[in-house]
Amino acid sequence: MSRIMNLRVLLLLGCAVLAAGCSKPGTLGVVPVTHLGVGQTVTLNAYEEQRPTHFFRSATPDEPVTRETAQPAWTVSDPAIASVDENGNLKGLKPGEITVKGIKDNREVKQTVKIIADLRGKYLPQLTIEGKLSKPKEVHLSLGADRSLKFSASFDNAPDETKVEQPAPAGDLPWSLTFDKGTLEITEAGGHTAKGWLKTKEGGKLSFVVWSDGDGTYPLTLKGKTVMVVGDSMSDGLAWFMKDKVEDAGGRFVGQAWNSSTTTAWAAEHRMRELVAQNQPDIVFIALGSNEVEARDLEPRGAAVRTISEEMGDRPGFWVGPPSWVPDKGIVKTIETNFRPGHFYNANDLKVPRRGDGKHPNRDGFKIWVDLLWTWFANAM
């Protein structure tokens, strides 16, 4: 009996030694961060992913995965675009794209991050799960110019993987799409940021706020908002078609043109402050600079642009550059540099039919211009 017991003990010890010898370090991963704003900071969360170990077979993809916190050494591909410290605190410094790399025990994990000049809200993606879903690894969303909507999500457990590709529904948000595993809903969108949720038939839910790729634009809702378009005579022409766009989106339109005006005149008269107080707009479009394409004294005009921006307050503002008919002497760059980053629409290369003066677009030209401007605005929002 004792020999049998000893043999069993030896076998158990041998198995334990074998198991220990066969165990492998987990796969290194990182909770996804795809987009970060300039001046924003996010702490990168790395982990080791480990699948169950078996003596006589490999783990199958549907077996549960465990995560343990990891602390790799972090580096960034371009320290001028973003910085990262030893604790994984990543800070956006200027617009661009970087690769963040974490290394631990000869294993590495990489994450591509885009630094955005004016990212509203927190870093992206924002992901939360409920019910019967494992932890998400990646979520991708895109809307094409052909209105094709593509969504994909990968998780720790392969059976939870989800892919949806359908034509985008007509009409305003929310959009609801059913597919074989459940329902996808896009509830809100602003520019390239989209919010929604995924519900599975098994009782899991993934809520997300993600960056949406592609050239398509989501329906823009301006319900309850006042949009004001101001500036020189170019703003008067833009207003012909902007009014319909704003009202179709549920907003209230206000147009205030000051023909032959300039940036310096607007600043000296404090015209923006007066109009904001009078109309209380939620969003402001400014079309100024067309009467300054030949101007060479740019420093006071830069100061004027800053004054106009300050008088708008913290409401969203968008500057529509002059549709230059001759090479300007620097006013376009001056406006872009002194206005809010990412909120300047450069119309310097606008190719549209014009009136007899060769400067102002004709009615068809203004319609083309507004269509282009509106698409840009929908993405900028």
Side-chain angles (χ1 to χ4, degrees):
M1 246 346 241
S2 60
R3 290 182 179 180
I4 294 174
M5 289 294 292
N6 289 338
L7 181 58
R8 287 178 177 174
V9 171
L10 288 172
L11 285 171
L12 289 172
L13 287 172
C15 289
V17 171
L18 180 62
C22 291
S23 63
K24 297 180 180 179
T27 303
L28 203 60
V30 62
V31 176
V33 175
T34 60
H35 294 79
L36 182 66
V38 171
Q40 293 183 344
T41 300
V42 61
T43 301
L44 300 169
N45 293 311
Y47 59 87
E48 291 189 55
E49 174 186 288
Q50 189 71 58
R51 293 189 176 276
T53 301
H54 303 285
F55 290 127
F56 304 111
R57 65 176 177 84
S58 300
T60 59
D62 59 344
E63 291 186 84
V65 173
T66 59
R67 287 185 180 185
E68 292 187 3
T69 302
Q71 293 182 327
W74 296 102
T75 59
V76 293
S77 58
D78 190 340
I81 296 176
S83 64
V84 66
D85 64 19
E86 60 184 8
N87 296 316
N89 294 313
L90 180 69
K91 182 175 182 178
L93 302 178
K94 70 177 184 178
E97 182 175 297
I98 51 100
T99 299
V100 184
K101 183 188 293 185
I103 298 179
K104 181 183 179 183
D105 301 331
N106 296 320
R107 292 166 295 158
E108 70 175 38
V109 62
K110 293 182 179 180
Q111 174 77 71
T112 299
V113 183
K114 292 183 179 180
I115 309 300
I116 307 299
D118 187 21
L119 183 65
R120 291 174 175 81
K122 298 181 180 180
Y123 64 90
L124 299 176
Q126 299 287 319
L127 308 174
T128 58
I129 54 170
E130 302 173 30
K132 297 180 180 180
L133 274 178
S134 55
K135 292 181 179 178
K137 288 186 173 181
E138 290 184 309
V139 175
H140 295 286
L141 177 67
S142 69
L143 178 64
D146 61 354
R147 309 303 294 164
S148 62
L149 186 73
K150 298 179 181 179
F151 176 88
S152 64
S154 62
F155 298 84
D156 280 350
N157 296 336
D160 293 334
E161 182 176 319
T162 299
K163 289 186 178 180
V164 181
E165 184 172 349
Q166 295 184 20
D172 294 334
L173 298 176
W175 289 345
S176 185
L177 301 90
T178 57
F179 61 106
D180 57 341
K181 287 187 175 183
T183 303
L184 172 69
E185 185 158 309
I186 309 297
T187 57
E188 299 176 32
H192 285 283
T193 302
K195 181 179 180 180
W197 48 258
L198 165 75
K199 287 183 180 178
T200 67
K201 293 178 179 178
E202 288 73 24
K205 180 179 180 180
L206 168 68
S207 299
F208 58 82
V209 183
V210 297
W211 186 268
S212 180
D213 291 312
D215 297 324
T217 56
Y218 293 90
L220 185 62
T221 300
L222 296 173
K223 186 177 180 180
K225 295 185 182 298
T226 296
V227 177
M228 185 171 73
V229 177
V230 300
D232 53 32
S233 57
M234 292 297 177
S235 74
D236 211 10
L238 292 173
W240 295 342
F241 300 99
M242 287 288 285
K243 183 177 187 296
D244 289 341
K245 297 278 191 184
V246 170
E247 292 179 349
D248 287 347
R252 169 178 170 260
F253 178 84
V254 175
Q256 294 280 350
W258 181 9
N259 291 346
S260 302
S261 61
T262 62
T263 56
T264 50
W266 274 72
E269 296 288 332
H270 298 289
R271 182 63 66 93
M272 180 60 72
R273 185 170 64 194
E274 176 186 331
L275 291 175
V276 164
Q278 177 183 334
N279 297 290
Q280 293 298 311
D282 298 287
I283 301 168
V284 178
F285 283 87
I286 308 159
L288 270 175
S290 292
N291 298 308
E292 298 161 275
V293 294
E294 301 280 356
R296 297 178 183 274
D297 53 336
L298 299 175
E299 187 174 341
R301 300 175 197 278
V305 170
R306 295 193 296 273
T307 297
I308 294 169
S309 178
E310 290 169 3
E311 291 185 353
M312 282 193 304
D314 59 0
R315 56 183 46 82
F318 302 90
W319 198 299
V320 185
S324 301
W325 48 95
V326 293
D328 71 277
K329 300 299 190 292
I331 188 62
V332 171
K333 187 66 176 177
T334 297
I335 296 172
E336 183 175 15
T337 302
N338 288 278
F339 197 58
R340 305 173 182 184
H343 288 224
F344 176 74
Y345 180 83
N346 192 340
N348 207 18
D349 59 353
L350 186 69
K351 295 177 176 60
V352 294
R354 305 195 184 231
R355 299 178 193 169
D357 64 4
K359 301 176 182 180
H360 294 81
N362 61 20
R363 191 171 182 85
D364 289 340
F366 272 115
K367 184 179 186 306
I368 293 170
W369 190 6
V370 168
D371 286 342
L372 294 170
L373 174 62
W374 195 257
T375 299
W376 172 83
F377 169 58
N379 286 325
M381 281 292 288

